[in-house]
Amino acid sequence: MCRSIHTLHNFEPAATSDEVHAAALQYVRKIAGTTKPSKANQEAFDRAVAEIAHATQHLLNDLVATRPPKNREEEAAKGRARAVAAGRYAA
């Protein structure tokens, strides 16, 4: 469930609001133990996602990088290569 939460800090281009929201959604899903809340819990679930996304965006805005930003495409290619080498995906 949380495998889709990726590092968002120090990338060029910077993380989008959609990426921040997706990370917050995955976090809330993990904590709640469900991918789809019941109707009774939907409002609390949505509020938690919004609050966590907001806090995450503030964190990303405030973090200071000491290294140059990483290139998203290069990092994705490295990740695919590691997955192939580990046998998780075919080449």
Side-chain angles (χ1 to χ4, degrees):
M1 199 181 314
C2 282
R3 292 176 196 232
S4 62
I5 296 179
H6 301 285
T7 301
L8 299 177
H9 173 62
N10 201 26
F11 278 97
E12 189 61 45
T16 65
S17 60
D18 287 341
E19 290 172 311
V20 171
H21 182 269
L25 177 61
Q26 287 301 315
Y27 176 78
V28 172
R29 285 176 172 172
K30 182 67 172 186
I31 297 303
T34 182
T35 57
K36 183 164 177 26
S38 67
K39 288 182 182 179
N41 292 324
Q42 186 69 52
E43 184 179 334
F45 190 91
D46 292 342
R47 185 174 54 251
V49 171
E51 290 173 0
I52 291 168
H54 182 77
T56 300
Q57 190 62 62
H58 280 287
L59 173 64
L60 291 172
N61 292 343
D62 293 345
L63 289 174
V64 175
T66 58
R67 295 185 177 184
K70 296 177 249 178
N71 181 283
R72 287 182 180 276
E73 288 76 25
E74 290 173 9
E75 294 300 315
K78 289 180 194 176
R80 284 189 294 275
R82 284 191 302 269
V84 169
R88 292 193 306 261
Y89 298 103

